């Protein structure tokens, strides 16, 4: 006997549960009310987190997805509710984060009439999603949801938008659970040929100075162990992109640090000096490569990536392997010859020593009475033993957090890389904590970025989410201020912030807070912050004019490394 | 460089016949400031598969990525490019084989 008909809203919610969704982040409104009405009765199996703005909902879903390794899910209304998630959708697209957004839409009969809160969401999101689809009939819901999660989570992950018309929400249909594991026009599991793997292994065996650069593809394919095994067998040093951080533990002997504009000296110099560059699960972003024409110019290049549009896009490669990182690395490790010798000799030790002496030591042992933001991140990393999930906003706070944090396990660094979305940090940290409640989640955020989404304090209050917020407060839009100092003749155009009393703000939301100005207070504050699992705001007044070094100026070759305002790294010295 | 100095390329894409795909593909061109000189969309000779034929002027080192971006769309099976009027008659056979192979892989799962 056929099951009785239920509403499209019920079909949606049952389909989400069928896909394994446990948490949805959202905000109700007119055209999604039938779904919210039914959602009330699904409290046992679907937890709904009420954000304070739809942008907060999607960034929380992104943080949840990145920390937990499962797709994030967002439910919002039509029109402004839908347009408010667009920044997060684009962020998820460029940073390969699996999220599924369900947005209300006006009834089918009103489509195209400029009805109240109607917006062409498919038109708006097509260029920034893996798939956008309008559901017009309740019969299509189970199929569309299954397909949405399949597309969002496979291949190179990314966002999917389902535009959910009111007709489909209130219409009745039978619910038949749907699966999707195949779309004939979509191949998320490319298999590299034996010949490709053989060629790569031969190139690796022939090289004298191999170097590996890896990105988030390692994390997304769960290839952390395979990467370590590959590097250890071949005795190959490796550097990480911003989004690849924590894929290898910070103390792994083959790990040389972060790549790119504010990366460690070693990774950038080894890139320039290697005779073979093995790039895995990364996309040669301009923040990593600097000037393209001089990038890795002494090297043959192998690029392993699951996205065919990335291979050869920015950097011409000798061998491109279209593959999941885990598959390619495990097959490659079998084929390469184990090697003991390290042709790099002292080069990486020298690079590291120069950075330590010229940049890190002066920052961590500043003679300034005011705190350097690096000291703050370093002190938090020591206190957590590198076991926390570190979330950042965008700007100096992000680069300093990336440089000074320590990681012991994967999926421990969550940041907005490709889009550079200020305001990402606070809601992403909320989502990360909700996804991994057993972990300590520390957010590093600036005073500018915090104020972009500070309304999410309300979500923290309502849910009691134990996020540890470290505000690196310099009363400036610090990264822009830094660029104005370096590249715009110190004309500080609209980067000074006159800020509220953040402690009063935290008090208003019932969030414990401590203001920190001295090194003693910092120690006490971190101790207080980490003493329990409650939300906490550590408002740290840091040096107003601090810079982030090393730095490779935009458009420069990545061996033109500024160690401070005047001096460049010189490997001949 | 004046766009008139660029070579004419013909792109062919074999796709599902879904709402919105035309605008998704058109967006790939608009984003790169590539003008579409000619556009045809019609059922291909592979049953159930539609065909886009697009003629554009494009820099030689950009055309391959444009074609890969088209092929990356979930509803696109395969995309090709060639210098205008050098159309290869083997494309539809390739697509036919691709569809058969993908469906066979799925059935063997």
């Amino acid at each position: 006997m056929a099951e009785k008909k239920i509403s499209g809203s019920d079909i949606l919610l049952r389909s989400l549960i069928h896909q394994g969704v446990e948490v949805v982040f959202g905000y109700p409104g007119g055209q999604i009310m039938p779904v919210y009405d039914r959602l009330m009765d699904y409290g046992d199996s679907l937890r709904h987190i009420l954000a304070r703005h739809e942008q907060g909902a999607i960034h929380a879903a992104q943080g949840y997805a990145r920390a937990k390794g499962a797709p994030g899910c967002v439910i919002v209304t039509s029109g402004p509710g839908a347009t408010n998630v667009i920044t997060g959708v684009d962020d998820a697209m460029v940073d390969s984060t699996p999220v599924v957004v369900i947005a209300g839409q006006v009834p089918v009969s009103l489509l195209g009439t400029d009805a109240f809160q109607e917006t062409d969401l498919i038109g708006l999101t097509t260029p920034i999603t893996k798939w956008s689809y309008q559901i017009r009939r309740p019969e299509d819901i189970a199929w569309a949801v299954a397909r949405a999660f399949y597309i969002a989570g496979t291949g190179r992950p990314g966002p999917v938008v389902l535009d959910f018309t009111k007709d489909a929400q209130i219409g009745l249909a039978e619910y038949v659970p749907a699966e999707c594991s195949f779309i004939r026009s979509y191949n998320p599991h490319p298999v590299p040929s034996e010949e490709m793997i053989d060629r790569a292994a031969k190139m690796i065996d022939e090289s004298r100075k191999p170097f590996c650069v890896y990105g988030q593809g390692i994390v997304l394919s769960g290839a952390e162990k395979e990467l370590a095994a590959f590097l250890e067998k071949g005795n190959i040093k490796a550097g990480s992109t911003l989004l690849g951080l924590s894929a290898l533990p910070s103390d792994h002997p083959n790990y040389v640090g972060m790549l790119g504009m504010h990366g460690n000296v070693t990774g950038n110099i080894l890139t320039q000096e290697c005779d073979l560059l093995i790039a895995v699960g990364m996309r040669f972003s301009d923040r990593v490569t600097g000037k393209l024409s001089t990038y890795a110019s002494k090297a043959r290049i192998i690029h392993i990536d699951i996205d065919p549009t990335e291979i050869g896009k920015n950097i011409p490669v000798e061998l491109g392997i279209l593959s999941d990182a885990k598959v390619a690395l495990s097959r490659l490790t079998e084929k390469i010859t184990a090697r003991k010798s390290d042709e790099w000799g002292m080069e990486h030790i020298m690079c590291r020593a120069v950075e330590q002496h010229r940049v890190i030591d002066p920052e961590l042992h500043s003679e300034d009475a005011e705190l350097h933001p690096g000291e703050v991140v370093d002190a938090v990393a020591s206190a957590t033993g590198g076991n926390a999930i570190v979330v950042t906003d965008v700007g100096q706070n992000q680069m300093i957090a990336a440089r000074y944090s320590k990681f012991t396990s994967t999926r421990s660094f969550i940041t907005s890389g490709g889009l550079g979305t200020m305001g990402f940090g606070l809601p992403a940290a909320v989502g990360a904590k909700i996804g991994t409640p057993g972990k300590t989640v520390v957010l590093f955020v600036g005073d500018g970025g915090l104020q972009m989404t500070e309304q999410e304090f309300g979500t923290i209050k309502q849910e009691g989410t134990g996020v540890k917020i470290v505000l690196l407060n310099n009363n400036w839009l610090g990264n822009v201020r830094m660029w104005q100092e370096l590249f715009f003749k110190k004309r500080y155009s609209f980067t000074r912030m006159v800020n509220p009393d953040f402690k009063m703000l935290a008090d208003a939301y019932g969030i414990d807070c401590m203001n920190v100005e001295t090194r003693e207070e910092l120690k006490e504050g971190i101790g207080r912050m980490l003493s329990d699992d409650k939300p906490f705001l550590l408002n740290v007044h840091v040096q107003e004019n601090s810079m982030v070094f090393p730095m490779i100026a935009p458009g420069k070759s990545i061996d033109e490394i500024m160690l401070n305002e005047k001096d460049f790294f010189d490997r001949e010295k | 460089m004046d766009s008139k100095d660029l070579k004419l390329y013909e792109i062919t894409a074999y796709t599902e016949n879904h709402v919105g795909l035309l605008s998704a593909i058109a967006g790939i061109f608009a984003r790169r400031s590539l003008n579409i000189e000619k556009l045809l969309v019609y059922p291909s000779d592979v049953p159930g598969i539609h065909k886009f034929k697009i003629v554009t002027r494009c820099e030689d080192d950009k055309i391959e990525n444009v074609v890969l971006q088209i092929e990356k769309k979930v509803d696109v099976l395969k995309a090709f490019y060639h210098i205008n009027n050098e159309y290869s008659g083997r494309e539809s056979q390739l697509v036919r084989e691709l569809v058969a192979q993908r469906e066979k892989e799925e059935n063997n799962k």
Side-chain angles (χ1 to χ4, degrees):
Chain A
M1 198 182 81
E3 203 182 337
K4 79 174 176 36
K5 292 190 173 184
I6 57 175
S7 77
S9 299
D10 282 297
I11 297 177
L12 173 80
L13 298 169
R14 289 176 66 173
S15 300
L16 294 179
I17 293 164
H18 183 65
Q19 289 298 324
V21 176
E22 295 166 7
V23 179
V24 292
F25 299 88
Y27 205 100
Q31 298 300 349
I32 196 73
M33 283 186 68
V35 170
Y36 268 86
D37 182 60
R38 297 305 306 129
L39 189 54
M40 231 182 145
D41 295 334
Y42 285 78
D44 293 344
S45 33
L46 265 187
R47 179 177 174 199
H48 178 270
I49 307 293
L50 178 65
R52 291 299 182 274
H53 184 288
E54 290 87 352
Q55 187 186 357
I58 187 154
H59 291 329
Q62 292 175 271
Y64 177 92
R66 299 260 287 267
K68 195 176 163 82
C73 187
V74 178
I75 301 180
V76 294
T77 191
S78 66
T83 56
N84 278 346
V85 301
I86 282 180
T87 301
V89 171
D90 198 15
D91 194 291
M93 185 69 171
V94 72
D95 280 354
S96 316
T97 309
V99 286
V100 174
V101 176
I102 293 128
Q105 182 56 284
V106 301
V108 173
S109 61
L110 294 181
L111 286 169
T113 66
D114 296 332
F116 178 64
Q117 295 190 330
E118 182 198 359
T119 197
D120 175 11
L121 187 61
I122 301 294
L124 284 170
T125 57
T126 291
I128 54 168
T129 51
K130 279 188 83 178
W131 189 52
S132 296
Y133 184 74
Q134 186 173 68
I135 306 175
R136 294 178 169 217
R137 306 183 313 149
E139 292 82 1
D140 297 339
I141 297 168
W143 168 85
V145 169
R147 198 172 145 106
F149 278 84
Y150 176 61
I151 292 170
T154 54
R156 178 177 178 179
V160 169
V161 166
L162 295 175
D163 194 33
F164 196 23
T165 64
K166 201 153 193 181
D167 307 58
Q169 294 174 43
I170 59 178
L172 300 177
E174 282 172 30
Y175 172 60
V176 183
E179 314 290 341
C180 180
S181 61
F182 173 70
I183 298 169
R184 68 176 179 180
S185 54
Y186 171 68
N187 179 17
H189 307 294
V191 180
S193 69
E194 204 60 26
E195 188 216 332
M196 289 291 208
I197 300 291
D198 284 341
R199 276 179 62 194
K202 185 159 177 281
M203 285 168 75
I204 293 167
D205 286 348
E206 281 169 3
S207 73
R208 286 183 54 245
K209 289 180 160 190
F211 183 55
C212 173
V213 292
Y214 65 88
Q216 195 192 195
I218 300 297
V219 179
L220 293 170
S221 73
E224 294 89 348
K225 284 202 180 87
E226 286 74 9
L227 175 67
F230 169 73
L231 299 174
E232 286 158 16
K233 185 173 180 189
N235 202 2
I236 299 165
K237 296 273 185 279
S240 174
T241 68
L242 180 69
L243 266 73
L245 290 179
S246 84
L248 281 182
S250 308
D251 61 358
H252 190 281
N254 295 57
Y255 179 62
V256 303
M258 186 169 75
L259 305 160
M261 182 176 273
H262 292 295
N264 296 104
V265 171
T266 316
N268 290 321
I269 294 298
L270 297 201
T271 301
Q272 295 304 75
E273 295 300 318
C274 68
D275 65 359
L276 177 70
L277 190 73
I278 308 148
V280 192
M282 55 86 77
R283 61 185 180 88
F284 294 110
S285 146
D286 55 274
R287 286 303 190 255
V288 163
T289 62
K291 190 177 180 182
L292 286 170
S293 59
T294 58
Y295 180 78
S297 51
K298 297 176 186 168
R300 305 168 81 184
I301 300 178
I302 300 171
H303 189 190
I304 300 169
D305 202 276
I306 201 161
D307 180 350
T309 66
E310 292 299 350
I311 295 174
K313 183 182 79 176
N314 294 339
I315 299 285
V317 298
E318 181 172 331
L319 180 62
I321 299 181
L322 188 60
S323 174
D324 177 84
K326 186 172 185 156
V327 171
L329 284 173
S330 63
R331 286 176 56 189
L332 206 44
T333 305
E334 282 174 27
K335 291 276 170 82
I336 59 170
T337 312
R339 95 169 90 193
K340 290 228 162 55
S341 67
D342 181 1
E343 293 279 342
W344 286 110
M346 300 301 283
E347 182 126 18
H348 66 274
I349 296 173
M350 181 273 290
C351 291
R352 185 171 290 198
V354 169
E355 184 174 339
Q356 185 74 37
H357 175 64
R358 301 292 303 278
V359 181
I360 298 174
D361 288 343
E363 287 183 353
L364 293 187
H365 309 289
S366 170
E367 284 166 16
D368 203 318
E370 295 193 314
L371 290 160
H372 187 280
E375 291 177 74
V376 181
V377 176
D378 184 65
V380 171
S382 299
T384 61
N387 290 314
I389 292 180
V390 174
V391 184
T392 82
D393 205 74
V394 166
Q396 289 184 315
N397 64 84
Q398 175 184 36
M399 291 299 124
I400 290 290
R403 288 182 48 75
Y404 285 104
S405 291
K406 299 277 181 286
F407 307 105
T408 55
S409 58
T410 188
R411 293 193 177 275
S412 294
F413 188 70
I414 297 171
T415 195
S416 166
L419 198 64
T421 305
M422 278 178 72
F424 173 87
L426 182 64
V430 170
K433 180 66 180 171
I434 288 168
T436 54
K439 292 280 245 180
T440 300
V441 175
V442 179
L443 166 69
F444 293 101
V445 61
D447 43 303
L450 182 64
Q451 289 179 81
M452 279 201 174
T453 46
E454 76 185 359
Q455 73 281 352
E456 299 307 325
F457 279 166
T459 312
I460 292 173
K461 178 177 171 60
Q462 186 157 351
E463 296 293 332
T465 314
V467 175
K468 309 300 183 184
I469 305 157
V470 180
L471 173 56
L472 300 171
N473 186 354
N474 59 7
N475 297 305
W476 285 90
L477 296 173
N479 213 47
V480 180
R481 193 211 65 83
M482 179 173 84
W483 282 49
Q484 288 169 336
E485 179 170 338
L486 293 171
F487 309 123
F488 290 87
K489 298 179 181 153
K490 303 191 180 184
R491 286 162 50 83
Y492 300 117
S493 180
F494 302 104
T495 40
R496 182 92 182 117
M497 300 282 268
V498 176
N499 282 325
D501 182 331
F502 286 106
K503 188 167 189 305
M504 283 177 73
L505 191 68
D507 284 345
Y509 286 94
I511 298 171
D512 280 347
C513 176
M514 181 174 155
N515 290 331
V516 167
E517 291 190 4
T518 66
R519 291 180 175 88
E520 292 69 38
E521 287 167 353
L522 177 66
K523 200 172 170 210
E524 184 201 336
I526 292 172
R528 262 181 68 188
M529 177 174 81
L530 298 175
S531 67
D532 58 26
D533 201 34
K534 292 190 193 133
F536 195 94
L537 175 66
L538 195 67
N539 177 21
V540 188
H541 180 78
V542 295
Q543 296 168 13
E544 298 210 346
N545 55 358
S546 73
M547 314 282 274
V548 185
F549 288 112
M551 180 179 193
I552 297 155
K556 296 290 184 190
S557 178
I558 58 166
D559 45 16
E560 295 179 60
I561 302 171
M562 299 162 73
L563 296 172
N564 54 48
E565 289 89 332
K566 296 183 290 290
D567 301 324
F568 283 81
F569 174 76
D570 184 352
R571 64 188 282 270
E572 305 304 327
K573 271 190 193 164
Chain B
M1 192 181 346
D2 195 316
S3 73
K4 283 187 194 120
D5 301 333
L6 297 172
K7 242 183 255 156
L8 274 175
Y9 284 95
E10 184 177 277
I11 296 168
T12 47
Y14 291 79
T15 75
E16 302 290 356
N17 184 18
H18 286 172
V19 171
L21 186 57
L22 173 59
S23 92
I25 289 176
I28 293 170
F29 290 82
R31 180 178 175 187
R32 291 166 177 76
S33 212
L34 296 173
N35 192 31
I36 293 175
E37 306 283 338
K38 202 193 279 182
L39 170 69
L40 278 168
V41 187
Y42 53 99
S44 78
D45 47 10
V46 185
I49 305 284
H50 259 60
K51 182 170 172 180
F52 280 66
K53 197 186 264 194
I54 305 164
V55 176
T56 188
R57 288 185 194 277
C58 181
E59 285 155 320
D60 298 340
D61 57 351
K62 295 273 175 351
I63 185 72
E64 182 159 354
N65 194 256
V66 169
V67 171
L68 287 171
Q69 294 289 348
I70 293 171
E71 198 171 279
K72 188 173 163 179
K73 295 285 170 195
V74 166
D75 289 328
V76 177
L77 279 120
K78 194 80 193 151
F80 305 90
Y81 72 96
H82 20 79
I83 308 290
N84 204 10
N85 296 329
E86 285 178 11
Y87 172 71
S88 146
R90 291 179 52 243
E91 283 179 9
S92 61
Q93 185 55 32
L94 277 170
V95 173
R96 217 184 289 265
E97 287 165 11
L98 180 71
V99 172
Q101 184 204 331
R102 291 251 174 96
E103 286 176 353
K104 191 174 147 205
E105 279 167 15
E106 169 62 8
N107 292 333
N108 289 344
K109 262 189 200 166

